[in-house]
Every structure is written in structure tokens, then in C-alpha cells.
Amino acid sequence: NEFLGGDIKKSFLHGHSFSANPIACSAALTSINLFNKENTLKKISIISEIHKEFIHKLRNNCNVSKTRILGSIAAFDFNKISKDYGSSDTQKIKKKFLENGLLLRPLGNTIYLMPPYCIKEKTLKECYKKIIAILMWFHTKKQITSMNDTIDKKIDETLKPVSDSITNFIFD
């Protein structure tokens, strides 16, 4: 009797959310039936096993840390990009993923994989092979850029005294 009466203060204003809406109930039952018919829990288990196999490969080859798997979701931190959201590194690697048909968006340096339950084993394994190749490419590219920056700095340091000497000679 808590919600009976004409007083708005006694009304259960969210009743429509909790009152067994027939369309929502039908959709939920259909979803549960489809979940069972399609053997979805088995598919999630297969996805999880593939995650475990490739997360191990990522850890050993791609300078990643904080690997985690929960059912069909896998995540890891790629240590060669900035932790800042929207950094230029994040944007570059996101673009490289998209160019290779991977819809992955790093959040800072964390990369999440959330494949659909209907994904084929072969397809998920191919995705991981692309991810590994891209992370290795990015790591190598950053090393080369860093080496080039170091070389440029050394050249500048070496040439500055020569340049100063020439400038002083010409203008003295």
C-alpha cells in the first residue's frame, strides 16, 4: 500500500522500468534462447584461450605489461607509447590498426580487444598476428627515430664549433 493513492509523493515513478514490460521480457527470453542455441559460453571459452595464447606471445615479443583477460575481453599496456589519452603516439598506432583492418582504440597506452562472440578462431588469430606485427613495427620505428634524433644532436654538437668558427672567420 506504499504506492497507492492520489498523492504524487507516494507514486512509484519508475514503475515502468521494473514492471515486466512484455516487449523487454520477450527480447530477454529470445536473447537467452539464442545464447544457449549458439553455444555462446563455448565460444567465449575459445576466445579466452586464444587470448591467453597470444597475450603470452605479446609479453615475450612486444614490450607489453599489465596483461589481463576476463572472458572474451583482453587488455594490455604497450610500454612504447605515451600513457596520455589522445597522444600523438596513440593516434599513430590507432591509425596503423585501422589501416590493417583492426578496430582498436588505445586508451592511453592500454589496448583492449573485445571480439564479438561469433568471431572465427582463424580470424582472431590473424588479428593478433597483425597486432604483434604493428607493435613490433612501432617499437622499431620509435627506436630508429630516437637513434636519428641522437645522431642529429651529435652532428649539431660536432658542427656547431665548426660553424661558429666559419661564421667568425667570415665576419671578422
CSV table of all heavy atoms in Angstrom, one decimal, residues 24 33 49 54-56 87 142-143 145 149 172:
chain,number,residue,atom,x,y,z
A,24,ALA,N,10.3,-6.1,-23.5
A,24,ALA,CA,11.6,-6.3,-22.9
A,24,ALA,C,11.7,-7.8,-22.5
A,24,ALA,O,12.8,-8.4,-22.7
A,24,ALA,CB,11.8,-5.3,-21.8
A,33,ASN,N,17.6,-17.7,-25.2
A,33,ASN,CA,17.5,-18.9,-26.0
A,33,ASN,C,18.5,-18.9,-27.1
A,33,ASN,O,19.1,-19.9,-27.4
A,33,ASN,CB,16.1,-18.9,-26.7
A,33,ASN,CG,15.0,-19.3,-25.6
A,33,ASN,OD1,15.3,-19.9,-24.6
A,33,ASN,ND2,13.8,-18.8,-25.9
A,49,GLU,N,40.8,-18.7,-24.6
A,49,GLU,CA,42.0,-19.5,-24.8
A,49,GLU,C,43.0,-18.9,-25.8
A,49,GLU,O,44.2,-18.9,-25.7
A,49,GLU,CB,41.7,-20.9,-25.2
A,49,GLU,CG,41.1,-21.7,-24.0
A,49,GLU,CD,42.0,-21.8,-22.8
A,49,GLU,OE1,43.2,-22.0,-22.9
A,49,GLU,OE2,41.4,-21.6,-21.7
A,54,PHE,N,48.0,-15.7,-27.2
A,54,PHE,CA,48.6,-14.6,-27.9
A,54,PHE,C,49.1,-13.5,-26.9
A,54,PHE,O,50.1,-12.8,-27.2
A,54,PHE,CB,47.7,-14.0,-29.0
A,54,PHE,CG,47.8,-14.8,-30.2
A,54,PHE,CD1,46.9,-15.8,-30.5
A,54,PHE,CD2,48.8,-14.5,-31.2
A,54,PHE,CE1,47.0,-16.6,-31.6
A,54,PHE,CE2,48.9,-15.3,-32.3
A,54,PHE,CZ,48.0,-16.3,-32.6
A,55,ILE,N,48.5,-13.4,-25.7
A,55,ILE,CA,48.9,-12.5,-24.7
A,55,ILE,C,50.3,-12.9,-24.3
A,55,ILE,O,51.2,-12.1,-24.1
A,55,ILE,CB,48.0,-12.4,-23.5
A,55,ILE,CG1,46.7,-11.6,-23.9
A,55,ILE,CG2,48.7,-11.8,-22.3
A,55,ILE,CD1,46.9,-10.1,-24.0
A,56,HIS,N,50.6,-14.2,-24.2
A,56,HIS,CA,51.9,-14.7,-23.9
A,56,HIS,C,52.9,-14.3,-25.0
A,56,HIS,O,54.0,-13.9,-24.6
A,56,HIS,CB,51.8,-16.3,-23.8
A,56,HIS,CG,53.1,-16.9,-23.5
A,56,HIS,ND1,53.8,-16.9,-22.3
A,56,HIS,CD2,54.0,-17.6,-24.3
A,56,HIS,CE1,54.9,-17.5,-22.3
A,56,HIS,NE2,55.0,-18.0,-23.6
A,87,SER,N,47.4,11.1,-27.2
A,87,SER,CA,48.8,11.5,-27.6
A,87,SER,C,49.0,11.2,-29.0
A,87,SER,O,48.3,10.4,-29.7
A,87,SER,CB,49.8,10.8,-26.7
A,87,SER,OG,49.9,9.4,-27.0
A,142,LYS,N,60.1,3.7,-33.4
A,142,LYS,CA,60.5,4.6,-32.3
A,142,LYS,C,62.0,4.5,-32.0
A,142,LYS,O,62.6,5.6,-31.8
A,142,LYS,CB,59.7,4.3,-31.1
A,142,LYS,CG,58.2,4.7,-31.3
A,142,LYS,CD,57.5,5.3,-30.1
A,142,LYS,CE,58.2,6.1,-29.2
A,142,LYS,NZ,57.4,7.3,-28.8
A,143,GLN,N,62.5,3.3,-32.1
A,143,GLN,CA,64.0,3.2,-31.9
A,143,GLN,C,64.8,3.9,-32.9
A,143,GLN,O,65.7,4.6,-32.6
A,143,GLN,CB,64.4,1.7,-31.9
A,143,GLN,CG,64.0,1.0,-30.6
A,143,GLN,CD,64.5,-0.5,-30.7
A,143,GLN,OE1,64.4,-1.1,-31.7
A,143,GLN,NE2,65.0,-1.0,-29.5
A,145,THR,N,63.7,6.4,-34.8
A,145,THR,CA,63.5,7.9,-34.6
A,145,THR,C,64.4,8.4,-33.5
A,145,THR,O,65.1,9.4,-33.6
A,145,THR,CB,62.0,8.2,-34.3
A,145,THR,OG1,61.2,7.7,-35.4
A,145,THR,CG2,61.8,9.6,-34.1
A,149,ASP,N,67.4,11.1,-33.9
A,149,ASP,CA,67.4,12.3,-33.0
A,149,ASP,C,68.8,12.4,-32.4
A,149,ASP,O,69.3,13.5,-32.3
A,149,ASP,CB,66.3,12.3,-32.0
A,149,ASP,CG,64.9,12.4,-32.6
A,149,ASP,OD1,64.8,12.8,-33.8
A,149,ASP,OD2,63.9,12.2,-31.9
A,172,ASP,N,84.8,38.4,-39.3
A,172,ASP,CA,85.8,39.2,-38.6
A,172,ASP,C,86.7,40.0,-39.5
A,172,ASP,O,86.9,40.0,-40.5
A,172,ASP,CB,86.7,38.2,-37.8
A,172,ASP,CG,86.0,37.8,-36.5
A,172,ASP,OD1,84.9,38.4,-36.1
A,172,ASP,OD2,86.4,36.8,-35.8
